[in-house]
Amino acid sequence: MRNPLPRRSPHRAPAGDNRLGAVLVSPTVLVLVLVIGYPIIAAIAQSFFGAPGFDEKTGFVSDTEPFVGLRNFTDIFGPAGDRFWNALENTSFFAVTTVALETVLGVTMALVMNHALRGRGIVRASILIPWAIPTVVSGLLWRWIFDSQGVANAVLGTHILWSADGFAAQASVIIADVWKTAPFIGLLVLAGLQMIPEEVYEAARIDGANAWRRFTALTLPLVKPALLVAVLFRLLDALRMFDLPYVLVGPRKPSVETLSMLAQQEAANVRYGAAAAYAVILFLYVFAVAFVFIGLLGANVFDDEARPEKEPRRVRRSRRAEVPVGVAV
């Protein structure tokens, strides 16, 4: 006797469910295409045009933007691209330095907020206040602190010109950014710590593990997914840094000028093609960093667990042997 019901893979959804899922997701996809896809395509198209002005071919002044092809990109990587390489170096330096410091401080804040102590709610609120302050307001606050007659010089007993160009300006940006965004990492890590059962730590204490051993062998591995997400978000955000150094130190300062500030300067000077070229390069840089980060740290870009794995030949043979006689497979 043959089985009248067709055999269906447990991992494969019916065609009707796939169509329903596509219909439900289509509004979100449309919004993402309009909000993300269209600006990227527009920036790439704009990067192929130059600034309006004197036309070398006709000898007249033109109000239209001439098509220059890849000239905006070749000028960036050419002999006149020293400003670009300086901005790229500053962007990478700020991203690596601030994210590293914020990770250490954020994990420390999360451990403090997760500890059962009196007044824990007040401690959590006070730690998260810097992250809730708008970046422009934070920049103005730290600009007052780092003034030549401000609190920083009064406490240190020095007369450092923090808002001038140089390493002092870089240090002021790093301090202000770490103060503001370290609570963000602490908040995400705290969410991961809340998911760890207390019985795990009790078992480790019974086995004789000290505090450092429990932190390295239990806390870090269990909180790793939340920590990686927090570090990735902060890394991508730091690569796009603009408002904090712009408000705290000011524009056209070589020591703190980032790629975003450089693109804004070109757009302010009505050189939209060059500004679009800088924006496209920044987009590719951020995308490459995110791709490498996800690949090196083992995070799954696609949900591999949802894919049906191919069964070994021995498993398939054993399953066939378990089928009763007379039932077709």
Side-chain angles (χ1 to χ4, degrees):
M1 180 178 179
R2 300 183 62 87
N3 188 4
L5 297 177
R7 185 178 180 183
R8 180 181 299 175
S9 175
H11 300 284
R12 184 174 300 175
D17 294 344
N18 292 334
R19 286 192 296 268
L20 178 60
V23 172
L24 295 176
V25 174
S26 57
T28 304
V29 174
L30 180 61
V31 172
L32 292 177
V33 170
L34 294 177
V35 175
I36 300 177
Y38 175 75
I40 293 175
I41 296 175
I44 295 175
Q46 182 66 42
S47 64
F48 296 136
F49 292 88
F54 179 74
D55 192 351
E56 299 178 354
K57 295 182 179 180
T58 62
F60 295 97
V61 177
S62 176
D63 294 334
T64 61
E65 297 178 343
F67 180 80
V68 296
L70 298 176
R71 183 187 302 175
N72 291 322
F73 295 95
T74 56
D75 292 342
I76 291 175
F77 294 100
D82 294 339
R83 190 178 176 190
F84 164 76
W85 293 111
N86 176 72
L88 180 63
E89 182 180 354
N90 291 337
T91 302
S92 304
F93 173 72
F94 284 141
V96 173
T97 306
T98 56
V99 172
L101 295 175
E102 289 162 9
T103 301
V104 176
L105 292 178
V107 173
T108 305
M109 292 177 181
L111 294 175
V112 172
M113 291 186 291
N114 189 55
H115 188 67
L117 48 84
R118 182 176 300 178
R120 182 172 55 179
I122 299 177
V123 174
R124 291 182 178 181
S126 60
I127 289 178
L128 296 178
I129 285 176
W131 179 59
I133 297 177
T135 306
V136 175
V137 178
S138 177
L140 292 174
L141 172 64
W142 282 98
R143 186 175 181 178
W144 173 76
I145 294 176
F146 287 121
D147 188 74
S148 59
Q149 304 296 328
V151 178
N153 285 336
V155 172
L156 298 176
T158 58
H159 296 282
I160 300 175
L161 300 178
W162 299 92
S163 59
D165 199 13
F167 179 75
Q170 292 181 339
S172 64
V173 172
I174 292 173
I175 293 173
D177 188 73
V178 170
W179 174 82
K180 173 176 172 50
T181 53
F184 172 76
I185 295 181
L187 181 63
L188 294 185
V189 175
L190 176 62
L193 290 175
Q194 296 291 325
M195 301 299 295
I196 302 177
E198 186 63 27
E199 292 78 6
V200 176
Y201 293 104
E202 291 294 337
R205 293 189 188 96
I206 294 175
D207 291 339
N210 54 20
W212 177 252
R213 181 61 178 172
R214 294 194 300 270
F215 175 74
T216 57
L218 294 178
T219 304
L220 284 182
L222 294 177
V223 85
K224 179 182 177 181
L227 181 60
L228 291 183
V229 171
V231 172
L232 178 60
F233 283 179
R234 273 302 305 141
L235 182 61
L236 300 184
D237 191 35
L239 291 174
R240 299 179 290 105
M241 184 183 296
F242 167 77
D243 42 4
L244 183 61
Y246 190 90
V247 175
L248 178 58
V249 181
R252 302 192 66 85
K253 298 292 182 65
S255 61
V256 297
E257 188 174 51
T258 61
L259 287 177
S260 298
M261 297 174 65
L262 188 56
Q264 187 273 339
Q265 274 291 350
E266 294 295 323
N269 293 325
V270 202
R271 293 192 289 266
Y272 298 113
Y278 286 124
V280 170
I281 292 175
L282 178 59
F283 166 74
L284 295 177
Y285 183 35
V286 172
F287 179 81
V289 170
F291 187 81
V292 172
F293 182 91
I294 294 174
L296 290 179
L297 294 181
N300 294 325
V301 181
F302 303 101
D303 190 5
D304 295 332
E305 296 180 356
R307 298 179 180 179
E309 298 181 358
K310 187 176 181 181
E311 295 180 346
R313 185 175 301 177
R314 295 180 180 177
V315 176
R316 293 199 299 268
R317 290 178 178 177
S318 62
R319 288 193 175 184
R320 291 179 180 177
E322 294 174 0
V323 177
V325 179
V327 178
V329 179

